[in-house]
Each structure stands twice: as C-alpha cells, then as structure tokens.
Amino acid sequence: MPPALDADTRDMLGGVADRESAMRDCLRRWSNHNSGSENLTGVCRQRELVAEAVANLADTVELVALPDRKVVKADGELESIPVAEALVVRKRPDRPHRVLLNGHLDTVFGIDSSFQTVREVSADRWVGPGVADLKGGLVVLTEALRAFERHPMASRVGWTAVFNPDEELGSPSSTSLLHKLASEHQIGLVFEPALEDGRLAGARGGSGSFDLVIRGRSAHVGREFDQGRSAMHVAGEVVSLLADFNKADGVTVNVGRIDGGGPVNRVADLAIVRFNVRVATEERREAMENDLRRLAFVLGRRDGIEATMHGSFFSPPKPMTPETTRLFERVRTCGAHLDLEVHWRDTGGVCDGNKLQAAGLPTVDTMGVRGGGLHTDEEFVVLPSLVERTRLAALVLASFAGESPAP
C-alpha cells in the first residue's frame, strides 16, 4: 500500500462526498439540456452552464473563436459551417507544474432526437443523453477542480481547463487549439467516461473520416450509354476496394454512406463515398494515407472521371509511451489510496486524448464517470462514480502539486 495521505489531502477528499447531491442535481440539469453537435444554440448554452460552474475558481475565463468546419455537401461541393466558441479557463499559468484538463460540450443526440431526458432506472444508475459522454465527465472535471482548490498545495499547480464544442464530430475546428494548449502543459487529463467496471482506455487506435467525390459524365441510358461515365459504377468499385483493406492487420474501413446518383434511365455523373478508417499504429496510418491518395489519383486518370478525396485522420494513434505509462501509474497509485483498483486496456475508440498526446502531452483520457451504452438511447452512468472519480481526479492533481518542479 502507498504511504498514508496527509491530513490536508484527507480533508480535501472528505469534502467531495458532501457535494454528491449537488453533483447529481447538476448532472440531471446538464443532461436534460440538449447540446447535440449541430445544435449551436444548445452547445453555447452548455458552455455558459460550465462557465458558471468554474468561474469562481479561475483567474481568467476566455471564449476562443474557432474556424468553421468544412463538410462535403450532397452535391459534392464544400460548405463552411460555423461552430461555437471554445471555453478556456486558466488558473495560475505561471506555476512550474501545469496540467491541462479537457471535456467536450457536445453530444451525439440532436435537437430532434427522441432521447432528451434523464430517467432513473435504479438507485445507482441513470439513463440519459450525455450522462456519461460527457455531461458526467464535465461534472467530475469541475468538481475535481473545486475540491483541489481547497488543498493548501494547490498554489503550486497551474491548470487550464478547455471545453470544446465539436468532439463528437472529430474536433475538426478545435484541434489546433488543443495542440497549442498541449504544448504549454506537462500532463493531460481528459474526462471521457471510463468503462462500467472502472477500467481506463490505454493505447488507442487512430481514426479518420473521408469523402471521395467522384464526378463522371451524364448520358441517356437508352441512346448514348457508351458516351456516359457512371460515377455510381465507379463508387461500387471503390466500396469493394475499400473493403479489401480490412484484410490487413490493424486496419478497419467502414463505408457508411453513398450519396449521388439520380434517375435510373440516366448515367449518374456524381457519387460521394463516405467512409471511416481505423488504424492501430502510426505506420498503418501513413500507409493508408498513401493508399487513399493513390486511389483517388488512379481513378482520376480514367477517361471522363474526376476523383477528389476530402478528409483526414483527425485522431492519430495514441500509443502507451513511457511518459504516458508513468502518468497511468500515478493514477493507479492514487486509486490505491482510495481503495480503487485502476486498470486499463487498449481500445479502438478515439477521443481528444489522441490529439493531445500527438502534440507531445502525456494524457490519460478516461478520467470521467463509469458508464456505458454510449451514443445509444440506453446510455447510462453509475452514479456512485461521480464522487469516486472526482476524488480520484482531485487526488491526481494533489499528487502532482507535491512533486519538485522539473529542472
């Protein structure tokens, strides 16, 4: 067992349980508020709610404008869509120890979703939109900072909390901000949900989303079929070619949708193949990027065919580096103080932790509540984990405060 905690730390942790009722009330209120990624008004209101929760803890509260995100419309043209501003909250940025905390404001549940309110299924479990991903994580993040600021050693740590509006879309607009903040800190804590049993996500694969726009040549099927060049026929070939990539170890390609086409008596001059790629390693990511560029190039050399690939690997793979492993071990040690067995496992899922670590910041990215059923109308939170995970995050911050500054 690790050495006993000092009286100040025990006092900090003891105060967390006194906040349990307030945490539950906050979680219900925030989860009953829709902040689907496309609901700009709802995301902005969620940002205001979080700002209200942390404003009295911070030195500065800043709204950071983000660039528009680019999407490929059904006609194959690019469209710019505005996104909400990010919220950046800072405390003691001049301190030798600097921690970056992150949680996202948006959920996958749109304003027209039938899944809009929290319901109690047992004394220890609620089901509701975002109760785990990530409204529960936002509660834990804000409450952990509240608890930590009561600790006498808190003055040794400078922290920044960044709340971004577009994580469920892959953080296309906030990635540059995350990279900038990562370079200013020493460790990262992201409040994505842990598994129901408390396990953390260890190494993560990488993920990218792509839109291949194929333009052909329209023609009357009966009279001039041979004069046409069917974009839909080429799209069918592409789907088959993409499926073949799944034969390689460490690669998963999923075609989610094909747009385009038209009347069946006319050769289709437009098709858009929309797909997602998951890779286990950086080497696989580089190989897939090369293969996808080559695919578009080869298709575009066909007579009457144009092919343009849009998209990127928005989340690079997140390996367990030595620095990240040390941070996980810190969390494990803190868990032992709380009688929690902290374990982790590799996963193919991605989050903003991928981006932070890619920018050089060792990151543990499942510091949020225990839960499951994510992205479904059965999403749930294990309610006792509100206190449990708040105590864990606060203790990790306190352990960092007790270290000697790096030379």
Side-chain angles (χ1 to χ4, degrees):
M1 285 293 294
L5 298 174
D6 59 62
D8 290 328
T9 303
R10 293 197 303 271
D11 180 63
M12 176 193 73
L13 296 173
V16 173
D18 298 334
R19 296 278 304 168
E20 182 170 18
S21 178
M23 282 191 258
R24 291 190 180 203
D25 290 344
C26 183
L27 177 59
R28 184 191 297 274
R29 185 170 66 257
W30 286 0
S31 296
N32 283 342
H33 168 74
N34 183 276
S35 60
S37 301
E38 307 281 357
N39 179 7
L40 194 62
T41 300
V43 171
C44 289
R45 177 55 183 155
Q46 182 62 51
R47 186 186 64 211
E48 293 172 359
L49 293 170
V50 172
E52 292 169 3
V54 297
N56 64 341
L57 303 174
D59 291 337
T60 62
V61 177
E62 178 186 7
L63 298 183
V64 178
L66 302 176
D68 293 352
R69 62 187 179 95
K70 305 292 186 181
V71 299
V72 178
K73 299 186 296 180
D75 63 1
E77 298 297 325
L78 284 174
E79 179 181 14
S80 294
I81 298 180
V83 300
E85 295 166 306
L87 174 66
V88 179
V89 183
R90 292 184 173 89
K91 186 75 170 182
R92 298 179 294 269
D94 59 340
R95 293 301 190 267
H97 298 305
R98 297 178 302 280
V99 181
L100 180 63
L101 305 96
N102 167 247
H104 60 86
L105 303 164
D106 59 328
T107 74
V108 299
F109 304 104
I111 196 168
D112 57 351
S113 169
S114 60
F115 190 45
Q116 296 285 356
T117 56
V118 174
R119 71 177 190 274
E120 301 180 23
V121 296
S122 72
D124 289 343
R125 182 174 298 211
W126 287 353
V127 168
V131 289
D133 187 17
L134 189 102
K135 304 298 178 72
L138 295 177
V139 173
V140 169
L141 190 165
T142 56
E143 290 292 332
L145 290 175
R146 181 194 298 272
F148 175 62
E149 285 301 313
R150 296 177 59 242
H151 198 289
M153 296 288 283
S155 61
R156 291 169 56 86
V157 173
W159 52 259
T160 301
V162 54
F163 304 92
N164 52 324
D166 59 345
E167 193 275 345
E168 296 294 3
L169 302 172
S171 302
S173 298
S174 58
T175 293
S176 59
L177 173 63
L178 294 173
H179 284 177
K180 177 180 181 296
L181 292 173
S183 68
E184 301 169 359
H185 296 80
Q186 294 167 306
I187 65 170
L189 303 175
V190 179
F191 287 76
E192 291 288 332
L195 276 69
E196 182 179 4
D197 63 6
R199 282 179 296 172
L200 310 177
R204 290 181 179 271
S207 179
S209 291
F210 299 86
D211 303 287
L212 177 60
V213 179
I214 304 165
R215 297 187 185 277
R217 183 187 305 147
S218 184
H220 188 284
V221 170
R223 292 187 176 186
E224 298 178 320
F225 179 76
D226 60 336
Q227 299 300 309
R229 298 293 183 270
S230 174
M232 290 296 283
H233 288 183
V234 175
E237 293 181 52
V238 168
V239 171
S240 179
L241 290 170
L242 292 174
D244 286 342
F245 284 121
N246 289 309
K247 298 174 183 177
D249 291 337
V251 176
T252 302
V253 180
N254 179 65
V255 177
R257 179 172 170 175
I258 300 177
D259 290 325
V264 295
N265 62 353
R266 188 179 71 196
V267 175
D269 61 357
L270 173 67
I272 306 169
V273 182
R274 305 182 189 270
F275 59 98
N276 178 254
V277 182
R278 304 285 171 132
V279 291
T281 64
E282 183 66 14
E283 292 74 19
R284 286 297 188 190
R285 182 190 68 80
E286 292 177 359
M288 281 301 303
E289 285 184 334
N290 290 333
D291 287 339
L292 294 177
R293 282 195 294 267
R294 189 179 303 112
L295 173 61
F297 175 77
V298 171
L299 293 176
R301 290 177 62 85
R302 293 187 182 183
D303 175 44
I305 296 294
E306 296 179 6
T308 306
M309 188 75 74
H310 299 277
S312 66
F313 279 94
F314 53 82
S315 286
K318 179 178 179 285
M320 288 291 288
T321 66
E323 295 79 11
T324 302
T325 300
R326 284 195 291 271
L327 181 55
F328 271 83
E329 291 294 348
R330 179 194 297 273
V331 176
R332 190 204 295 273
T333 299
C334 290
H337 279 294
L338 303 172
D339 295 324
L340 299 176
E341 291 188 10
V342 176
H343 302 285
W344 51 87
R345 74 171 193 188
D346 296 348
T347 176
V350 300
C351 73
D352 284 332
N354 293 63
K355 302 170 182 62
L356 295 178
Q357 187 156 306
L361 187 68
T363 301
V364 174
D365 54 32
T366 34
M367 294 295 294
V369 293
R370 292 187 283 123
L374 310 181
H375 296 189
T376 77
D377 60 6
E378 293 299 325
E379 180 176 336
F380 68 88
V381 58
V382 180
L383 287 169
S385 68
L386 286 167
V387 169
E388 168 194 301
R389 308 297 284 191
T390 297
R391 285 161 56 92
L392 179 62
L395 187 53
V396 171
L397 293 170
S399 75
F400 198 51
E403 288 188 348
S404 298

